[in-house]
Protein backbone atom coordinates (compact mmCIF):
# COMPACT_ATOMS: atom_id res chain seq x y z
CA UNK A 1 0.00 0.00 0.00
CA UNK A 2 1.14 3.49 -0.74
CA UNK A 3 1.13 6.25 1.83
CA UNK A 4 -2.07 8.21 1.93
CA UNK A 5 -0.74 11.73 1.86
CA UNK A 6 -3.89 13.50 0.78
CA UNK A 7 -4.38 16.10 3.46
CA UNK A 8 -7.45 17.46 1.70
CA UNK A 9 -9.36 14.58 3.32
CA UNK A 10 -8.51 16.21 6.63
CA UNK A 11 -6.62 13.18 7.95
CA UNK A 12 -3.00 14.29 8.08
CA UNK A 13 -0.28 11.66 8.32
CA UNK A 14 1.59 11.43 11.60
CA UNK A 15 5.19 12.57 11.93
CA UNK A 16 6.81 9.34 10.76
CA UNK A 17 10.39 9.87 11.98
CA UNK A 18 9.29 10.85 15.45
CA UNK A 19 6.88 7.98 15.78
CA UNK A 20 9.17 5.29 14.42
CA UNK A 21 11.58 6.13 17.19
CA UNK A 22 9.00 5.77 19.91
CA UNK A 23 7.28 2.38 19.53
CA UNK A 24 9.23 -0.47 17.93
CA UNK A 25 7.22 -3.03 15.97
CA UNK A 26 8.79 -6.45 16.37
CA UNK A 27 8.62 -8.91 13.44
CA UNK A 28 6.34 -11.26 15.36
CA UNK A 29 3.89 -8.44 16.11
CA UNK A 30 3.92 -7.32 12.49
CA UNK A 31 3.20 -10.92 11.48
CA UNK A 32 0.20 -11.05 13.80
CA UNK A 33 -1.12 -7.78 12.38
CA UNK A 34 -0.64 -9.04 8.81
CA UNK A 35 -2.51 -12.24 9.63
CA UNK A 36 -5.40 -10.37 11.23
CA UNK A 37 -5.72 -8.01 8.27
CA UNK A 38 -5.44 -10.84 5.77
CA UNK A 39 -8.00 -12.89 7.70
CA UNK A 40 -10.56 -10.10 7.68
CA UNK A 41 -10.15 -8.42 4.31
CA UNK A 42 -7.41 -10.36 2.47
CA UNK A 43 -5.20 -7.32 2.12
CA UNK A 44 -1.70 -8.63 1.72
CA UNK A 45 0.69 -6.76 4.05
CA UNK A 46 4.06 -8.18 3.03
CA UNK A 47 7.33 -7.40 4.81
CA UNK A 48 7.93 -4.28 2.72
CA UNK A 49 4.91 -2.69 4.39
CA UNK A 50 6.24 -2.93 7.92
CA UNK A 51 7.47 0.66 8.24
CA UNK A 52 4.21 1.96 6.84
CA UNK A 53 2.12 -0.13 9.24
CA UNK A 54 4.23 1.09 12.12
CA UNK A 55 3.94 4.73 11.07
CA UNK A 56 0.18 4.51 10.82
CA UNK A 57 -0.52 2.46 13.94
CA UNK A 58 1.84 4.35 16.27
CA UNK A 59 -0.56 7.26 16.25
CA UNK A 60 -3.32 4.98 17.49
CA UNK A 61 -1.14 3.57 20.26
CA UNK A 62 -0.35 7.10 21.39
CA UNK A 63 -4.03 8.08 21.35
CA UNK A 64 -4.84 5.08 23.53
CA UNK A 65 -1.87 5.66 25.84
CA UNK A 66 -0.48 2.22 24.98
CA UNK A 67 3.29 1.72 24.90
CA UNK A 68 3.78 -1.63 23.17
CA UNK A 69 2.34 -3.54 20.24
CA UNK A 70 1.64 -6.74 22.22
CA UNK A 71 -0.58 -4.65 24.52
CA UNK A 72 -2.34 -3.11 21.54
CA UNK A 73 -2.86 -6.48 19.87
CA UNK A 74 -4.31 -7.88 23.08
CA UNK A 75 -6.79 -5.00 23.01
CA UNK A 76 -7.72 -5.63 19.36
CA UNK A 77 -8.18 -9.35 19.94
CA UNK A 78 -10.07 -8.87 23.17
CA UNK A 79 -12.50 -6.29 21.78
CA UNK A 80 -15.68 -8.32 21.27
CA UNK A 81 -17.38 -5.46 19.39
CA UNK A 82 -14.72 -5.66 16.65
CA UNK A 83 -14.49 -1.86 16.78
CA UNK A 84 -10.74 -1.70 17.33
CA UNK A 85 -10.11 -4.18 14.52
CA UNK A 86 -12.24 -1.98 12.22
CA UNK A 87 -10.23 1.02 13.33
CA UNK A 88 -7.00 -0.83 12.59
CA UNK A 89 -8.17 -1.82 9.09
CA UNK A 90 -9.31 1.77 8.49
CA UNK A 91 -5.86 3.02 9.36
CA UNK A 92 -4.11 0.52 7.11
CA UNK A 93 -6.12 0.80 3.91
CA UNK A 94 -4.92 2.95 1.03
CA UNK A 95 -7.59 5.32 -0.15
CA UNK A 96 -6.06 7.37 -2.94
CA UNK A 97 -8.74 8.48 -5.40
CA UNK A 98 -9.92 11.55 -7.30
CA UNK A 99 -12.71 12.71 -9.60
CA UNK A 100 -12.50 11.43 -13.19
CA UNK A 101 -9.60 9.13 -12.28
CA UNK A 102 -8.80 6.98 -15.35
CA UNK A 103 -11.15 9.14 -17.39
CA UNK A 104 -11.54 6.77 -20.35
CA UNK A 105 -13.68 4.52 -18.13
CA UNK A 106 -16.15 7.36 -17.71
CA UNK A 107 -16.10 7.99 -21.49
CA UNK A 108 -16.98 4.33 -21.98
CA UNK A 109 -19.70 4.52 -19.35
CA UNK A 110 -21.18 7.58 -21.07
CA UNK A 111 -20.88 6.50 -24.70
CA UNK A 112 -21.35 2.73 -24.55
CA UNK A 113 -23.74 2.34 -21.64
CA UNK A 114 -25.63 5.46 -20.61
CA UNK A 115 -26.18 7.04 -24.04
CA UNK A 116 -27.43 3.72 -25.37
CA UNK A 117 -30.18 3.43 -22.78
CA UNK A 118 -33.60 3.33 -24.41
CA UNK A 119 -35.96 4.56 -21.65
CA UNK A 120 -38.91 2.82 -23.31
CA UNK A 121 -37.13 -0.50 -22.77
CA UNK A 122 -35.09 0.13 -19.64
CA UNK A 123 -36.52 1.75 -16.53
CA UNK A 124 -33.84 0.72 -14.07
CA UNK A 125 -30.15 1.54 -13.81
CA UNK A 126 -27.85 0.02 -11.24
CA UNK A 127 -24.15 0.92 -10.99
CA UNK A 128 -21.75 -0.25 -8.30
CA UNK A 129 -18.58 1.49 -7.21
CA UNK A 130 -16.92 -1.38 -5.30
CA UNK A 131 -14.11 -0.01 -3.13
CA UNK A 132 -15.33 3.57 -3.51
CA UNK A 133 -12.95 5.13 -0.98
CA UNK A 134 -13.96 8.73 -0.20
CA UNK A 135 -16.59 8.76 -2.94
CA UNK A 136 -15.08 10.63 -5.88
CA UNK A 137 -15.60 7.65 -8.21
CA UNK A 138 -19.30 7.45 -7.35
CA UNK A 139 -19.84 11.21 -7.65
CA UNK A 140 -18.10 11.13 -11.03
CA UNK A 141 -20.44 8.34 -12.16
CA UNK A 142 -23.37 10.45 -10.98
CA UNK A 143 -22.18 13.54 -12.90
CA UNK A 144 -21.68 11.48 -16.05
CA UNK A 145 -25.12 9.86 -15.67
CA UNK A 146 -26.81 13.24 -15.15
CA UNK A 147 -25.12 14.61 -18.27
CA UNK A 148 -25.76 11.55 -20.46
CA UNK A 149 -29.32 10.56 -19.57
CA UNK A 150 -31.89 13.32 -19.87
CA UNK A 151 -34.67 11.19 -18.37
CA UNK A 152 -32.63 10.05 -15.40
CA UNK A 153 -35.10 11.33 -12.83
CA UNK A 154 -37.85 9.29 -14.45
CA UNK A 155 -35.75 6.15 -14.18
CA UNK A 156 -35.13 4.07 -11.09
CA UNK A 157 -31.42 4.93 -11.11
CA UNK A 158 -29.05 4.16 -8.28
CA UNK A 159 -25.31 4.12 -7.71
CA UNK A 160 -24.25 1.85 -4.89
CA UNK A 161 -20.86 2.83 -3.46
CA UNK A 162 -19.23 0.51 -0.93
CA UNK A 163 -16.02 0.34 1.03
CA UNK A 164 -14.66 -1.50 4.05
CA UNK A 165 -13.37 1.69 5.67
CA UNK A 166 -15.82 3.66 7.80
CA UNK A 167 -13.35 6.56 7.83
CA UNK A 168 -13.50 7.16 4.07
CA UNK A 169 -17.23 6.47 3.95
CA UNK A 170 -17.78 9.33 6.39
CA UNK A 171 -15.97 11.66 3.96
CA UNK A 172 -17.97 10.24 1.05
CA UNK A 173 -21.31 10.80 2.76
CA UNK A 174 -20.32 14.34 3.64
CA UNK A 175 -19.61 14.90 -0.09
CA UNK A 176 -17.40 17.92 0.53
CA UNK A 177 -14.03 18.14 -1.23
CA UNK A 178 -11.17 20.58 -1.50
CA UNK A 179 -10.67 22.43 -4.75
CA UNK A 180 -7.50 20.44 -5.45
CA UNK A 181 -9.45 17.22 -5.83
CA UNK A 182 -11.29 18.63 -8.84
CA UNK A 183 -8.11 19.04 -10.88
CA UNK A 184 -9.37 16.62 -13.56
CA UNK A 185 -12.99 17.75 -13.42
CA UNK A 186 -14.27 20.07 -16.17
CA UNK A 187 -14.98 23.34 -14.29
CA UNK A 188 -18.49 23.60 -15.73
CA UNK A 189 -19.36 20.21 -14.23
CA UNK A 190 -17.93 21.13 -10.84
CA UNK A 191 -19.92 24.36 -10.84
CA UNK A 192 -23.09 22.63 -11.96
CA UNK A 193 -23.03 19.73 -9.49
CA UNK A 194 -21.10 21.14 -6.50
CA UNK A 195 -21.58 24.31 -4.49
CA UNK A 196 -19.24 26.18 -2.15
CA UNK A 197 -19.32 24.58 1.27
CA UNK A 198 -20.18 27.37 3.68
CA UNK A 199 -18.73 25.43 6.63
CA UNK A 200 -15.34 24.73 5.04
CA UNK A 201 -13.71 27.52 3.05
CA UNK A 202 -12.09 26.18 -0.13
CA UNK A 203 -14.33 23.11 -0.17
CA UNK A 204 -17.15 22.24 -2.57
CA UNK A 205 -20.11 20.13 -1.58
CA UNK A 206 -22.18 17.85 -3.82
CA UNK A 207 -25.58 19.33 -4.63
CA UNK A 208 -28.57 17.22 -3.60
CA UNK A 209 -29.45 16.28 -7.20
CA UNK A 210 -26.09 14.50 -7.40
CA UNK A 211 -25.97 13.07 -3.88
CA UNK A 212 -29.46 11.59 -4.09
CA UNK A 213 -28.33 9.20 -6.84
CA UNK A 214 -25.79 7.52 -4.54
CA UNK A 215 -26.04 5.20 -1.55
CA UNK A 216 -22.85 4.76 0.47
CA UNK A 217 -22.64 1.52 2.43
CA UNK A 218 -19.96 -0.32 4.37
CA UNK A 219 -19.20 -3.66 2.76
CA UNK A 220 -16.24 -5.96 3.16
CA UNK A 221 -15.92 -7.54 -0.27
CA UNK A 222 -14.77 -10.76 1.40
CA UNK A 223 -18.11 -11.22 3.14
CA UNK A 224 -21.45 -12.20 1.59
CA UNK A 225 -23.01 -9.44 -0.51
CA UNK A 226 -26.58 -8.53 0.44
CA UNK A 227 -27.46 -7.07 -2.99
CA UNK A 228 -30.03 -9.18 -4.82
CA UNK A 229 -30.60 -7.29 -8.06
CA UNK A 230 -28.11 -7.51 -10.91
CA UNK A 231 -25.96 -4.53 -11.82
CA UNK A 232 -25.63 -2.91 -15.24
CA UNK A 233 -22.10 -1.74 -14.49
CA UNK A 234 -19.51 -2.54 -11.82
CA UNK A 235 -16.33 -0.55 -11.25
CA UNK A 236 -13.82 -2.30 -9.00
CA UNK A 237 -10.76 -0.21 -9.67
CA UNK A 238 -7.51 -0.11 -7.74
CA UNK A 239 -8.85 -2.44 -5.07
CA UNK A 240 -7.97 -5.98 -6.16
CA UNK A 241 -4.37 -4.91 -6.60
CA UNK A 242 -3.98 -5.36 -2.82
CA UNK A 243 -5.24 -8.96 -2.91
CA UNK A 244 -3.45 -12.16 -3.84
CA UNK A 245 -4.35 -14.14 -7.00
CA UNK A 246 -6.71 -16.70 -5.41
CA UNK A 247 -8.66 -13.85 -3.78
CA UNK A 248 -8.78 -11.89 -7.05
CA UNK A 249 -9.95 -15.01 -8.83
CA UNK A 250 -12.77 -15.59 -6.38
CA UNK A 251 -13.86 -11.92 -6.48
CA UNK A 252 -13.93 -11.76 -10.28
CA UNK A 253 -16.32 -14.76 -10.38
CA UNK A 254 -18.55 -13.01 -7.84
CA UNK A 255 -18.58 -9.76 -9.83
CA UNK A 256 -19.51 -11.78 -12.92
CA UNK A 257 -22.47 -13.30 -11.09
CA UNK A 258 -23.55 -9.88 -9.78
CA UNK A 259 -23.90 -8.40 -13.30
CA UNK A 260 -26.81 -8.76 -15.73
CA UNK A 261 -26.02 -10.29 -19.13
CA UNK A 262 -24.50 -7.48 -21.19
CA UNK A 263 -23.30 -5.79 -17.99
CA UNK A 264 -19.92 -4.07 -17.92
CA UNK A 265 -17.03 -4.70 -15.50
CA UNK A 266 -14.06 -2.34 -15.17
CA UNK A 267 -10.83 -2.71 -13.22
CA UNK A 268 -8.04 -0.17 -12.62
CA UNK A 269 -5.44 0.60 -15.25
CA UNK A 270 -2.69 -1.10 -13.30
CA UNK A 271 -4.84 -4.24 -12.99
CA UNK A 272 -6.06 -6.83 -15.48
CA UNK A 273 -7.76 -10.21 -15.51
CA UNK A 274 -4.66 -11.84 -16.98
CA UNK A 275 -3.98 -15.10 -15.20
CA UNK A 276 -7.54 -15.24 -13.86
CA UNK A 277 -9.98 -17.80 -15.24
CA UNK A 278 -13.12 -15.86 -16.07
CA UNK A 279 -16.17 -15.88 -18.31
CA UNK A 280 -16.09 -12.20 -19.36
CA UNK A 281 -15.72 -11.03 -22.92
CA UNK A 282 -12.69 -8.78 -23.26
CA UNK A 283 -13.52 -5.37 -24.74
CA UNK A 284 -10.26 -3.52 -24.25
CA UNK A 285 -7.65 -3.38 -21.47
CA UNK A 286 -9.46 -3.12 -18.10
CA UNK A 287 -12.98 -3.26 -19.64
CA UNK A 288 -15.00 -6.49 -19.78
CA UNK A 289 -18.59 -7.50 -20.63
CA UNK A 290 -20.69 -10.35 -19.30
CA UNK A 291 -21.89 -12.19 -22.44
C1 LIG B 1 -7.15 2.94 -3.73
S1 LIG B 1 -8.80 2.94 -3.20
C2 LIG B 1 -9.65 2.90 -4.78
C3 LIG B 1 -10.71 3.96 -4.91
C4 LIG B 1 -11.40 4.05 -6.27
N1 LIG B 1 -12.00 2.81 -6.64
C5 LIG B 1 -10.44 4.54 -7.32
O1 LIG B 1 -10.00 3.75 -8.16
O2 LIG B 1 -10.10 5.72 -7.33
C6 LIG B 1 -9.00 1.26 -2.60
C7 LIG B 1 -10.18 1.10 -1.65
O3 LIG B 1 -10.45 -0.28 -1.47
C8 LIG B 1 -10.93 -0.46 -0.17
N2 LIG B 1 -10.82 -1.88 0.24
C9 LIG B 1 -9.69 -2.59 0.50
N3 LIG B 1 -10.01 -3.83 0.88
C10 LIG B 1 -11.35 -3.92 0.85
C11 LIG B 1 -12.27 -4.96 1.15
N4 LIG B 1 -11.86 -6.18 1.55
N5 LIG B 1 -13.59 -4.70 1.03
C12 LIG B 1 -14.01 -3.48 0.62
N6 LIG B 1 -13.20 -2.45 0.33
C13 LIG B 1 -11.88 -2.67 0.45
C14 LIG B 1 -10.05 0.47 0.66
O4 LIG B 1 -10.64 0.80 1.90
C15 LIG B 1 -9.90 1.67 -0.27
O5 LIG B 1 -10.79 2.70 0.03
Amino acid sequence: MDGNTDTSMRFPEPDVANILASRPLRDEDFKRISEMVYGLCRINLHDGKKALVQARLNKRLRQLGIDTYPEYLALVEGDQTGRELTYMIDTLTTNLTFFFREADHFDYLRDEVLKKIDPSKQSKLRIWSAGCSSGEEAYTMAMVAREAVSDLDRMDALILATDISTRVLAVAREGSYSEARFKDTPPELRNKYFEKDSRHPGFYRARPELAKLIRFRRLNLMEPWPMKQPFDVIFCRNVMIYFDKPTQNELVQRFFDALRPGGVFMVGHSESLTGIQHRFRYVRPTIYIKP
Side-chain angles (χ1 to χ4, degrees):
M1 274 183 273
D2 307 310
N4 181 0
T5 51
D6 187 353
T7 51
S8 62
M9 279 173 53
R10 302 185 223 119
F11 296 107
E13 278 289 287
D15 174 348
V16 175
N18 171 23
I19 289 163
L20 284 179
S22 60
R23 286 172 176 80
L25 176 61
R26 300 174 311 169
D27 286 346
E28 60 259 46
D29 298 330
F30 175 65
K31 190 162 170 277
R32 272 171 77 195
I33 292 170
S34 309
E35 284 168 0
M36 276 188 213
V37 171
Y38 186 82
L40 187 77
C41 62
R42 309 269 189 96
I43 292 175
N44 198 2
L45 293 175
H46 53 77
D47 289 348
K49 303 291 182 190
K50 190 177 158 194
L52 182 90
V53 167
Q54 187 175 9
R56 292 193 179 178
L57 283 185
N58 265 344
K59 184 180 171 206
R60 183 62 176 159
L61 266 69
R62 271 193 311 178
Q63 278 174 347
L64 294 169
I66 291 176
D67 287 328
T68 67
Y69 277 93
E71 270 178 87
Y72 178 64
L73 291 174
L75 178 96
V76 174
E77 285 168 340
D79 177 7
Q80 298 299 320
T81 66
R83 222 172 286 148
E84 193 53 40
L85 182 58
T86 304
Y87 190 96
M88 189 169 93
I89 302 285
D90 267 13
T91 313
L92 295 177
T93 49
T94 291
N95 310 113
L96 176 75
T97 187
F98 45 92
F99 295 105
F100 286 95
R101 181 180 195 184
E102 300 175 354
D104 59 309
H105 287 157
F106 297 102
D107 294 342
Y108 188 89
L109 176 67
R110 181 191 61 221
D111 297 336
E112 302 301 326
V113 182
L114 298 170
K115 287 208 164 168
K116 290 193 172 163
I117 290 177
D118 177 350
S120 66
K121 294 196 181 123
Q122 184 177 345
S123 59
K124 221 174 213 181
L125 176 67
R126 291 288 180 271
I127 304 179
W128 181 12
S129 165
C132 64
S133 188
S134 40
E136 288 87 333
E137 184 174 273
Y139 286 109
T140 307
M141 290 167 166
M143 283 190 268
V144 171
R146 280 253 171 257
E147 290 295 298
V149 187
S150 52
D151 280 342
L152 198 65
D153 282 326
R154 264 181 272 163
M155 289 183 79
D156 171 10
L158 195 68
I159 297 165
L160 173 70
T162 64
D163 203 281
I164 194 173
S165 164
T166 49
R167 177 172 58 91
V168 289
L169 286 170
V171 178
R173 288 197 179 101
E174 187 79 9
S176 180
Y177 302 93
S178 71
E179 189 157 10
R181 301 191 75 81
F182 292 93
K183 66 179 174 51
D184 294 325
T185 308
E188 64 277 14
L189 289 187
R190 190 201 66 191
N191 295 338
K192 190 168 170 186
Y193 294 111
F194 288 79
E195 58 201 351
K196 282 193 172 154
D197 187 340
S198 51
R199 293 164 313 160
H200 301 293
F203 279 68
Y204 290 81
R205 187 155 200 208
R207 293 182 194 271
E209 73 207 81
L210 201 64
K212 76 175 191 190
L213 291 173
I214 311 171
R215 300 283 178 281
F216 289 105
R217 297 280 182 271
R218 180 170 190 264
L219 179 70
N220 179 354
L221 289 170
M222 300 309 145
E223 290 175 357
W225 301 344
M227 301 83 82
K228 299 279 176 279
Q229 294 177 2
F231 289 94
D232 300 286
V233 179
I234 299 176
F235 279 44
C236 184
R237 306 185 312 158
N238 308 299
V239 178
M240 289 194 289
I241 197 166
Y242 302 114
F243 304 147
D244 56 21
K245 267 277 175 268
T247 307
Q248 293 178 359
N249 207 67
E250 189 188 310
L251 262 183
V252 168
Q253 312 314 320
R254 294 176 74 197
F255 284 127
F256 183 92
D257 292 336
L259 280 163
R260 67 161 168 80
V264 177
F265 179 53
M266 301 199 211
V267 298
H269 279 183
S270 51
E271 304 167 303
S272 83
L273 302 194
T274 310
I276 290 177
Q277 283 219 319
H278 64 81
R279 294 163 281 165
F280 284 107
R281 179 163 67 76
Y282 170 88
V283 179
R284 62 174 85 143
T286 71
I287 304 183
Y288 302 84
I289 286 187
K290 176 170 176 169

